């Protein structure tokens, strides 16, 4: 069996992935996820190494790294888990996670006019005084959305941000079940 290891760069990305798991939107079954969860980690540390070692001997792991800064070298530590990790995918959220909020709330064109002066997080905070760069805010934000609203947002985000992604990077839409696009 192939297991899926989803690792996020930040707590915002983890909060979104957790909501996608909760709403059963990922293209992976819960049982396919390593320990049926997503991990907030940039690298395979001792904790993840221990978890991977607990998987059945012949089973393999496909990694999905989710974040906006995916340029750091991913250390697989082949000497510790030879042949266990068979593929590493990058899922890009450039330039910042807050672009999802900006697009969802119809402020994309407004932001594009001032993007040279503001980071997306600065711009969004200036427009939404309740915003806190915390996982709890992200979780609450996406939990209140319907499945259709989340899927539509991720589609719009992907369409607007596709140029920012390197050709070897996936988008958030690439993590979603294919059949939800037909609803």
């Amino acid at each position: 069996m192939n297991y899926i290891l989803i690792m996020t760069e930040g707590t915002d990305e983890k909060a979104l992935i957790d909501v996608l798991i909760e709403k059963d939107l990922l293209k992976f079954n819960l049982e396919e996820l390593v320990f049926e969860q997503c991990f907030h980690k940039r690298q395979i540390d001792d904790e993840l190494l221990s978890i991977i070692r607990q998987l059945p001997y012949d089973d393999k792991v496909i990694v999905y790294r989710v974040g906006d800064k995916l340029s750091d070298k991913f250390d697989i530590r082949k000497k510790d888990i030879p042949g266990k990790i068979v593929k590493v995918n990058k899922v890009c959220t450039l330039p910042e996670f807050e672009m999802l909020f900006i697009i969802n709330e119809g402020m994309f064109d407004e932001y594009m006019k001032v993007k040279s002066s503001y980071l997306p997080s600065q711009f969004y905070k200036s427009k939404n005084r309740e915003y806190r760069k915390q996982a709890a805010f992200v979780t609450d934000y996406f939990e209140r959305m319907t499945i259709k609203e989340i899927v539509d947002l991720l589609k719009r985000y992907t369409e607007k941000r596709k140029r920012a992604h390197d050709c070897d990077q996936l988008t958030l839409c690439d993590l979603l079940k294919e059949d939800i696009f037909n609803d």
Side-chain angles (χ1 to χ4, degrees):
M1 175 174 175
N2 282 339
Y3 283 92
I4 305 300
L5 173 60
I6 301 178
M7 302 170 59
T8 65
E9 187 175 85
T11 56
D12 290 350
E13 291 91 350
K14 182 178 183 328
L16 172 60
I17 298 296
D18 286 344
V19 171
L20 296 178
I21 291 170
E22 176 187 313
K23 292 183 180 262
D24 194 28
L25 292 174
L26 291 180
K27 66 181 179 180
F28 319 110
N29 295 323
L30 188 60
E31 299 79 30
E32 290 177 273
L33 297 178
V34 172
F35 274 35
E36 298 186 353
Q37 65 179 309
C38 165
F39 295 88
H40 172 221
K41 305 214 181 260
R42 294 176 66 96
Q43 294 290 335
I44 303 244
D45 61 6
D46 290 341
E47 176 190 11
L48 279 179
L49 196 57
S50 173
I51 290 169
I52 291 169
R53 285 182 177 147
Q54 293 177 44
L55 298 174
Y57 178 76
D58 290 333
D59 290 351
K60 304 298 181 194
V61 177
I62 299 171
V63 176
Y64 287 82
R65 297 178 70 208
V66 182
D68 57 7
K69 293 181 184 79
L70 298 169
S71 57
D72 58 326
K73 183 171 172 40
F74 186 62
D75 180 16
I76 298 178
R77 298 186 191 185
K78 289 185 181 183
K79 64 181 179 356
D80 293 324
I81 45 176
K84 201 73 167 161
I85 296 178
V86 294
K87 186 170 186 181
V88 178
N89 298 291
K90 298 177 185 178
V91 181
C92 182
T93 60
L94 277 173
E96 280 188 337
F97 190 84
E98 288 79 7
M99 285 302 295
L100 287 164
F101 306 136
I102 291 168
I103 292 168
N104 190 51
E105 296 177 29
M107 297 184 274
F108 182 77
D109 292 337
E110 183 181 352
Y111 172 70
M112 292 308 285
K113 292 175 187 173
V114 298
K115 73 176 186 171
S116 62
S117 303
Y118 293 96
L119 292 171
S121 56
Q122 295 168 324
F123 176 81
Y124 187 68
K125 181 146 183 73
S126 74
K127 299 296 180 180
N128 182 347
R129 303 270 182 225
E130 295 177 16
Y131 173 64
R132 300 289 176 266
K133 193 167 183 70
Q134 299 171 340
F137 179 90
V138 175
T139 299
D140 183 59
Y141 191 95
F142 288 106
E143 280 182 343
R144 287 185 281 130
M145 294 175 72
T146 66
I147 289 173
K148 181 175 179 3
E149 289 170 333
I150 291 172
V151 171
D152 288 347
L153 170 59
L154 295 182
K155 281 189 207 175
R156 285 184 287 144
Y157 168 80
T158 297
E159 289 167 9
K160 292 183 183 301
R161 302 307 308 153
K162 190 72 171 172
R163 294 181 310 275
H165 299 215
D166 291 341
C167 61
D168 69 333
Q169 295 175 335
L170 302 174
T171 68
L172 290 168
C173 281
D174 293 317
L175 297 177
L176 301 178
K177 290 180 179 177
E178 290 184 24
D179 61 340
I180 63 174
F181 289 106
N182 300 326
D183 292 342

